[in-house]
Amino acid sequence: MSKSALVILAQGAEEMETVITVDMLRRGGVTVTVAGLDGSDPVLCSRQITLVPDKSLADALTEKQQYDAVILPGGLEGSDRLSKSSVVGTLLKEHENTGKIVAAICAAPTAFVAHGVAKGKRVTSYPTTKDKITSDYSYVEGERVVVDDNIVTSRGPGTAYWFGLKLIEMLTGKEKADQVEKGMIITGY
Amino acid sequence: MSKSALVILAQGAEEMETVITVDMLRRGGVTVTVAGLDGSDPVLCSRQITLVPDKSLADALTEKQQYDAVILPGGLEGSDRLSKSSVVGTLLKEHENTGKIVAAICAAPTAFVAHGVAKGKRVTSYPTTKDKITSDYSYVEGERVVVDDNIVTSRGPGTAYWFGLKLIEMLTGKEKADQVEKGMIITGY
């Protein structure tokens, strides 16, 4: 059975971080559910692109309580909405506690702080959000993607290719990640 | 007045190529219209992400006959649909003839061949589509983005960051492109 990933889409999410991650994971053979935080209606993202979620977060969690990975795209407004959602807080903690992958990119690691998730871990985030990552965390600069046990964080839209590759590697193996990289022509152009 | 770009969205388009390009150009201050080839309804892309166009291509061309750039995202099915559309053929030729930027990534340069656009130019494309680029063109390998006068081509999803940066540079200048690169953290992580 293929691995599963839940990507939570909030209004104001960074659309390329969302789409790059979902597209790449699907190329990597992962079954990805794009779940709308506030329902199944189309979601207006940070640069005015509208994405249609596969289903509402409520439905996604009714159908399946645990995913192999829960992934938070960035965007300032989107991350703020994820930070304020108690449903997101609960599901992040449940996935962290059972050793599932919990991942966030750009401004979204601030939602970890808001919900008390991944405490004590090495994390990174969008540079201007660094001061929101409290001393409960060990902040890392100079790496595109930071992995500490089951916690995966990345820096911004321009590091999303490598965030996607790392998640594929962790979910379906290095060989598959290398295939996706080759098919996308990140290198070898 | 800001520069304008028309991105034509067909069913089966590669969603990350579409979203990266649109998002980046908007970050670069370009006014981007995402125009649905077959109308304004949501469009199912190559990896099952659904994007909502800003308007139909018909409406986009009624409102404005010429854009500073016309951009074709890739994806095999999407590129095939762009290749078969006489409306796309006409608008590409009109934009080429007036010196506007005409750009395509991944499989989409095959639509240039189908419509007899950009003949005699240096172009690149997704490697497996190389044999569809006829001897009317000078095929380039080993470069992420190829520019020949007003014709811009690129290789795949993994070169889309640099396709976006080159288009921003051509439309709004190198300084703006550098700002966008810095803000996205493509380098300098």
Side-chain angles (χ1 to χ4, degrees):
Chain A
M1 211 178 73
S2 73
K3 296 287 183 170
S4 62
L6 179 70
V7 176
I8 308 176
L9 179 59
Q11 185 181 307
E14 218 301 326
E15 47 271 74
M16 74 174 122
E17 292 169 357
T18 306
V19 170
I20 291 168
T21 306
V22 173
D23 184 329
M24 287 183 69
L25 286 170
R26 286 180 176 159
R27 286 169 177 256
V30 177
T31 300
V32 183
T33 301
V34 181
L37 176 64
D38 298 312
S40 60
D41 286 345
V43 174
L44 183 64
C45 295
S46 67
R47 270 74 190 181
Q48 280 67 60
I49 294 176
T50 299
L51 303 178
V52 184
D54 297 321
K55 58 189 68 168
S56 69
L57 180 58
D59 283 351
L61 293 175
T62 301
E63 286 172 25
K64 190 175 172 76
Q65 290 180 305
Q66 288 246 311
Y67 290 78
D68 294 307
V70 175
I71 301 165
L72 307 183
L76 282 177
E77 183 191 345
S79 300
D80 190 48
R81 289 175 182 274
L82 296 170
S83 296
K84 287 174 176 161
S85 162
S86 60
V87 173
V88 170
T90 302
L91 84 85
L92 288 177
K93 280 180 212 159
E94 286 174 357
H95 281 76
E96 184 190 13
N97 292 342
T98 51
K100 304 299 187 185
I101 294 171
V102 176
I105 184 169
C106 195
T110 60
F112 289 177
V113 181
H115 298 302
V117 167
K119 279 189 179 178
K121 298 291 188 187
R122 295 172 74 243
V123 298
T124 193
S125 70
Y126 193 74
T128 58
T129 64
K130 181 186 173 184
D131 62 352
K132 293 183 182 169
I133 309 294
T134 61
S135 59
D136 289 330
Y137 300 84
S138 172
Y139 197 84
V140 179
E141 292 177 280
E143 295 180 29
R144 283 178 170 136
V145 185
V146 174
V147 180
D148 190 346
D149 288 338
N150 54 327
I151 305 299
V152 183
T153 50
S154 186
R155 307 216 77 184
T159 63
Y161 289 160
W162 294 274
F163 181 61
L165 288 175
K166 179 56 70 178
L167 290 169
I168 296 167
E169 183 184 330
M170 292 173 75
L171 287 164
T172 61
K174 181 73 166 67
E175 195 181 343
K176 197 71 186 176
D178 289 346
Q179 278 174 23
V180 172
E181 181 179 25
K182 190 158 181 274
M184 286 175 60
I185 323 183
I186 296 175
T187 53
Y189 46 85
Chain B
M1 213 177 73
S2 72
K3 297 287 184 171
S4 62
L6 180 70
V7 176
I8 309 176
L9 180 60
Q11 185 181 308
E14 217 301 325
E15 46 271 73
M16 75 174 120
E17 292 169 357
T18 306
V19 170
I20 292 168
T21 307
V22 173
D23 185 329
M24 287 183 68
L25 286 170
R26 286 181 176 159
R27 285 170 178 257
V30 177
T31 300
V32 183
T33 302
V34 181
L37 176 64
D38 298 313
S40 59
D41 287 345
V43 174
L44 183 63
C45 295
S46 66
R47 268 76 192 180
Q48 279 67 60
I49 294 177
T50 300
L51 303 179
V52 184
D54 296 320
K55 57 189 69 168
S56 70
L57 180 58
D59 283 351
L61 292 174
T62 301
E63 287 172 25
K64 190 177 173 75
Q65 290 179 307
Q66 288 246 311
Y67 291 77
D68 295 306
V70 175
I71 302 164
L72 307 183
L76 282 177
E77 181 191 347
S79 300
D80 190 49
R81 289 175 182 271
L82 296 171
S83 295
K84 287 174 176 160
S85 162
S86 60
V87 173
V88 170
T90 301
L91 83 87
L92 289 175
K93 280 180 211 159
E94 286 174 356
H95 282 77
E96 182 189 14
N97 292 341
T98 51
K100 305 299 187 185
I101 294 171
V102 176
I105 184 168
C106 195
T110 59
F112 290 177
V113 181
H115 298 302
V117 167
K119 279 190 180 178
K121 300 291 188 186
R122 297 173 72 244
V123 299
T124 192
S125 70
Y126 193 74
T128 58
T129 65
K130 180 186 174 185
D131 62 351
K132 294 183 182 169
I133 309 294
T134 61
S135 59
D136 289 330
Y137 301 84
S138 172
Y139 198 83
V140 179
E141 293 177 280
E143 297 180 27
R144 282 179 171 134
V145 185
V146 174
V147 180
D148 191 347
D149 287 340
N150 54 327
I151 305 299
V152 183
T153 49
S154 187
R155 305 215 81 183
T159 63
Y161 289 160
W162 295 273
F163 182 59
L165 288 175
K166 180 55 71 179
L167 290 168
I168 296 167
E169 182 185 330
M170 291 173 75
L171 287 164
T172 62
K174 182 73 165 68
E175 195 181 342
K176 197 71 186 177
D178 288 346
Q179 278 174 23
V180 172
E181 181 180 24
K182 191 159 181 274
M184 285 175 60
I185 324 182
I186 295 175
T187 54
Y189 45 85

